[in-house]
Amino acid sequence: MTMREFRTRLLVATGVAIVAAGLPAMAQERLAPVDVWGDRAESDPGSLAVLDKTEIADTLADHPAEILNRLPGVNIQMNSGQEHLIAIRSPVLTGGAGQGSFLIMENGVPVRSPAFGNVNSLFEPHHEVASAIEVVRGPGSAKYGSNAVHGLVNVILPDVGSGSEAVASYGTLGRWRTDVTLDEGAHWLAAVSVQKDTGWRDNTGVDQQKLTLVGDWTLGGWDTTGWLTASNLNQETAGFIQGAEAYKDEDVAKSNPNPEAYRDAWSARAGARLAREVGGGTLTLMPYAHTQAMIFAQHFLPNGGVEKNGSTGGGVMARFEREVSAALIWRAGVDVDVASGWLKEIQPEPFGFFPGDARFPQGVHYDYTVDTLMGALWGELDYALTDDVRVLAGLRAETHDYDYTTDVAPGINGRFNVPADRTDSFDLLTPKLGLIWSVTENTDLYANYARGERAPQASDLYRLQSLQVAGEVEEETLDSVEIGARGTALDGRLVYDVAAYWMEKENFFFRDSDGLNVPDGSTEHTGIEASAAFELMAGLSVSGTASWSDQTYTFDRITSSGTETIRDGNAIDTAPEWLANVSLHWQATDAVSLSLTVDHVGEYFTDPANTTVYPGHTVLGARGAWAFAGDAEVFLIVRNLTDERYADRADLAFGNDRYFPGEPINATLGMRKTF
């Protein structure tokens, strides 16, 4: 068995609870989408995990957290409905840091322009019907630039020729879902997903629709794949419940302190991949365009504002790859992105913490437009020093220009600061250098250095607080060093991947407990991640991931609420020390399969001063399926098997313990038909 097949088994094992006899024969099929659309090859230095089509289908994730949290170093916290916050080798980040620290892609193309990220951006890609989802942990800025700071998520759409399928399911919490993929087989494919969730908490619900169209053809000598995706979300949102360990009370967990909260959002994206042989190498062009708009109630803020935002943009990603010799491959690329975004924040009702409190004036707080231009050049060398040792080096230079215009009068308005019209620019330079040593046919060792860097989000720059000065925000940088080992043992029955990393971040931008933006924070992140799969016997296997991290502040920040003062050496809030996922899979017969999963989130501090702790939780799940008639399957998925009372998210804000409670025990019954 080749190292390529070994690596493929590991990629599948980290996302699929099976490592059965015959799996290597599926390697080429499962690896192909990653080779075409992915950030890096399976043999490159660095940490990559892939969820394949089978795992995506078996999980039937109603929320992206349910599928992505199976991977090492990933912690997606579910809030209400489809809302969420992301962590990849990081604490759970909010605000501009949450928007700009993770690059979300579809078929290798960013779903948004760099300056207009969204903390909830995972509900836009069509993950429900994806052929694969890859997650790169650690900086990816040397190839993809701004926003690929802590990592990236790439949702790979189904390929023409992958087959037609229909899935329908109903859950005991009142959640209906249908996914249909129609594959013509040669030139086009269409997929649609519809979800209606009546909500398990009071006065909540989700209506969500997604559409994907994919076409394959040859255009003037270019091998061409084009796609169009769209999403629409109408959500009645539940707010935080408050009070120490409030999530343990069933009635409180079901309650909704903010029945007026909502989120409406839509998005559309179009892209294409055109490739042909030119000058002894391969030239690939990826033009794209995207647009989105959103309106939501800021139920998480005490003054109860309403935010409206949107953006429209597009560009092209061009790359050329040439194999100079058996030992040397070089790649070079040019990226251009042009976009325009807008934001309006309104406070409909008067608010104050005490009589005469003028910090939260009723009316319009912000109303601005930002036009952006991004241009980048990057290059990469892949050189084999010997038959067993390879070096991969890359460098990207990138520039960002912002042109900001306000439609409300500039100046101080309570605690809100509206900057006057202005322009800003930022330059990024992101290197990477990695080495991989194939010690044996079955074992690889690697070391990797990479820098992540991001230009500020538009909201970082122009949605200021009263004590801020426009223009003080700088580029955020993250330097990462990583070592790892991966391979197989025990005659291929054990597949493993272990990585250790150290990262240091400067110019970390966030909002402190006083509600003021901090532009010059610094943090340190160290950790160990492991994933493995072991075939116990024919038809019975176990797989799992475990992640340990120590994430700390490396600066001081005094706040008026002393309980949330940051001190150098404090643990970063919402950064669990331990994350783990274990799956046991039994192929009982050719037609019947059973699996059991265990998800663990360790304890973490909920405030920067480290005064309050969420104790963590362990949640069990189970799945059973019966295949019949050769192309049909009935399945039952049970989530939270022991009816654990836990919180998907816990934090401390405005002096209160706040939680988004986890779902109680629930079951989903469904049927899948392929044709």
Side-chain angles (χ1 to χ4, degrees):
M1 187 183 302
T2 68
M3 193 63 213
R4 178 183 180 90
E5 290 172 324
F6 287 137
R7 176 59 175 159
T8 303
R9 290 186 68 169
L10 177 59
L11 294 179
V12 175
T14 56
V16 182
I18 53 172
V19 183
L23 181 60
M26 304 165 67
Q28 296 301 321
E29 175 186 351
R30 288 181 172 169
L31 190 62
V34 181
D35 277 344
V36 173
W37 304 109
D39 169 74
R40 54 182 78 170
E42 82 286 354
S43 59
D44 286 353
S47 295
L48 167 71
V50 176
L51 295 155
D52 80 329
K53 182 177 181 179
T54 300
E55 175 71 348
I56 294 168
D58 287 351
T59 304
L60 198 77
D62 296 320
H63 190 289
E66 295 169 359
I67 184 71
L68 292 174
N69 285 348
R70 292 175 174 266
L71 300 178
V74 178
N75 180 25
I76 313 297
Q77 289 189 341
M78 294 190 288
N79 297 342
S80 176
Q82 289 295 308
E83 295 176 350
H84 58 272
L85 295 168
I86 303 173
I88 302 174
R89 281 191 180 172
S90 71
V92 174
L93 296 174
T94 61
Q99 296 169 13
S101 298
F102 313 101
L103 183 61
I104 311 303
M105 312 176 80
E106 226 173 29
N107 279 3
V109 174
V111 300
R112 291 184 174 219
S113 294
F116 307 109
N118 176 18
V119 294
N120 297 288
S121 54
L122 287 171
F123 65 51
E124 293 176 347
H126 202 169
H127 69 85
E128 293 87 347
V129 299
S131 64
I133 302 173
E134 69 169 355
V135 176
V136 174
R137 309 188 306 278
S141 298
K143 182 175 287 186
Y144 284 112
S146 190
N147 298 22
V149 177
H150 278 279
L152 65 87
V153 178
N154 185 17
V155 176
I156 301 168
L157 299 173
D159 296 320
V160 174
S162 58
S164 298
E165 181 179 84
V167 185
S169 64
Y170 173 72
T172 56
L173 295 181
R175 188 173 298 147
W176 299 83
R177 176 172 154 188
T178 301
D179 304 293
V180 178
T181 301
L182 298 176
D183 181 14
E184 177 264 349
H187 299 293
W188 64 264
L189 175 148
V192 63
S193 296
V194 178
Q195 181 181 143
K196 183 174 181 60
D197 185 350
T198 59
W200 71 277
R201 296 180 63 190
D202 296 342
N203 301 300
T204 60
V206 170
D207 287 292
Q208 180 175 253
Q209 307 86 36
K210 295 183 180 181
L211 171 70
T212 291
L213 302 174
V214 181
D216 274 356
W217 63 93
T218 300
L219 183 65
W222 295 83
D223 293 330
T224 304
T225 298
W227 63 90
L228 172 69
T229 58
S231 67
N232 181 67
L233 174 69
N234 302 106
Q235 175 174 303
E236 301 302 317
T237 302
F240 287 98
I241 56 172
Q242 298 188 13
E245 298 186 336
Y247 57 88
K248 292 185 176 181
D249 186 306
E250 182 178 353
D251 292 332
V252 174
K254 289 182 178 179
S255 69
N256 180 7
N258 302 101
E260 77 287 351
Y262 66 94
R263 184 180 297 269
D264 294 333
W266 62 265
S267 69
R269 295 165 300 282
R273 180 183 185 274
L274 300 90
R276 68 179 302 166
E277 300 301 311
V278 176
T282 302
L283 175 64
T284 303
L285 302 178
M286 298 182 72
Y288 62 89
H290 49 75
T291 185
Q292 59 80 211
M294 181 184 302
I295 179 172
F296 62 94
Q298 296 173 322
H299 62 88
F300 43 84
L301 298 178
N303 56 305
V306 173
E307 179 179 324
K308 304 176 182 179
N309 67 62
S311 65
T312 298
V316 64
M317 304 166 67
R319 64 179 285 174
F320 182 77
E321 177 175 327
R322 183 178 180 185
E323 184 174 350
V324 179
S325 67
L328 177 63
I329 299 173
W330 65 268
R331 306 175 187 94
V334 178
D335 296 344
V336 177
D337 185 280
V338 180
S340 182
W342 56 272
L343 182 145
K344 187 172 186 177
E345 180 180 306
I346 305 167
Q347 183 178 311
E349 303 294 336
F351 175 82
F353 283 104
F354 50 82
D357 186 356
R359 292 174 298 169
F360 304 94
Q362 185 179 8
V364 178
H365 296 162
Y366 306 100
D367 187 358
Y368 62 75
T369 300
V370 183
D371 297 324
T372 62
L373 173 64
M374 184 279 291
L377 297 171
W378 62 270
E380 196 173 74
L381 291 176
D382 189 340
Y383 182 64
L385 296 175
T386 69
D387 289 343
D388 301 323
V389 179
R390 290 174 46 238
V391 173
L392 184 66
L395 182 66
R396 180 182 176 105
E398 183 173 321
T399 185
H400 293 254
D401 292 323
Y402 298 70
D403 188 349
Y404 157 85
T405 305
T406 178
D407 290 327
V408 297
I412 305 297
N413 181 23
R415 75 179 302 167
F416 308 101
N417 181 0
V418 178
D421 295 355
R422 58 180 289 123
T423 59
D424 294 278
S425 62
F426 301 91
D427 297 320
L428 314 181
L429 189 66
T430 49
K432 70 174 179 181
L433 178 64
L435 181 143
I436 187 162
W437 175 27
S438 296
V439 181
T440 70
E441 184 186 16
N442 302 335
T443 306
D444 284 348
L445 302 178
Y446 68 85
N448 194 55
Y449 163 77
R451 165 167 283 196
E453 193 169 15
R454 72 175 180 94
Q457 292 290 289
S459 58
D460 293 344
L461 291 170
Y462 308 120
R463 182 152 55 173
L464 303 183
Q465 303 292 299
S466 58
L467 299 182
Q468 286 184 273
V469 177
E472 66 179 348
V473 184
E474 299 182 8
E475 300 90 339
E476 183 179 286
T477 62
L478 178 76
D479 289 297
S480 169
V481 176
E482 177 180 2
I483 58 173
R486 58 199 180 205
T488 65
L490 304 177
D491 296 323
R493 293 172 60 202
L494 174 66
V495 188
Y496 65 89
D497 190 341
V498 181
Y501 63 88
W502 173 86
M503 304 190 300
E504 187 176 65
K505 183 189 289 188
E506 299 293 338
N507 298 327
F508 172 41
F509 185 95
F510 68 101
R511 179 170 291 185
D512 69 13
S513 60
D514 288 336
L516 301 177
N517 293 332
V518 180
D520 56 355
S522 59
T523 59
E524 186 173 282
H525 313 257
T526 58
I528 300 172
E529 298 163 348
S531 50
F534 182 59
E535 186 181 5
L536 299 169
M537 61 179 67
L540 182 64
S541 61
V542 61
S543 64
T545 67
S547 307
W548 171 86
S549 68
D550 180 27
Q551 307 190 58
T552 58
Y553 292 108
T554 56
F555 75 111
D556 295 320
R557 175 75 175 184
I558 309 301
T559 63
S560 61
S561 54
T563 58
E564 297 194 37
T565 291
I566 296 172
R567 295 294 187 183
D568 188 345
N570 280 10
I572 303 175
D573 43 300
T574 63
E577 184 178 6
W578 286 98
L579 299 168
N581 173 275
V582 179
S583 298
L584 180 68
H585 181 84
W586 180 32
Q587 191 69 43
T589 70
D590 289 342
V592 177
S593 63
L594 302 170
S595 62
L596 178 70
T597 61
V598 181
D599 291 295
H600 175 73
V601 174
E603 69 174 18
Y604 56 87
F605 290 105
T606 62
D607 65 316
N610 296 175
T611 64
T612 308
V613 173
Y614 173 69
H617 58 262
T618 301
V619 177
L620 278 65
R623 182 184 189 275
W626 173 52
F628 63 96
D631 55 6
E633 176 189 65
V634 174
F635 57 85
L636 177 68
I637 300 171
V638 182
R639 299 182 174 97
N640 195 0
L641 197 60
T642 60
D643 203 20
E644 178 79 7
R645 303 297 175 190
Y646 71 101
D648 273 316
R649 173 169 174 77
D651 71 9
L652 179 70
F654 309 106
N656 297 311
D657 292 300
R658 308 190 307 177
Y659 307 97
F660 280 114
E663 292 181 350
I665 184 173
N666 64 94
T668 297
L669 179 65
M671 180 174 178
R672 174 177 289 104
K673 169 76 172 176
T674 59
F675 52 93

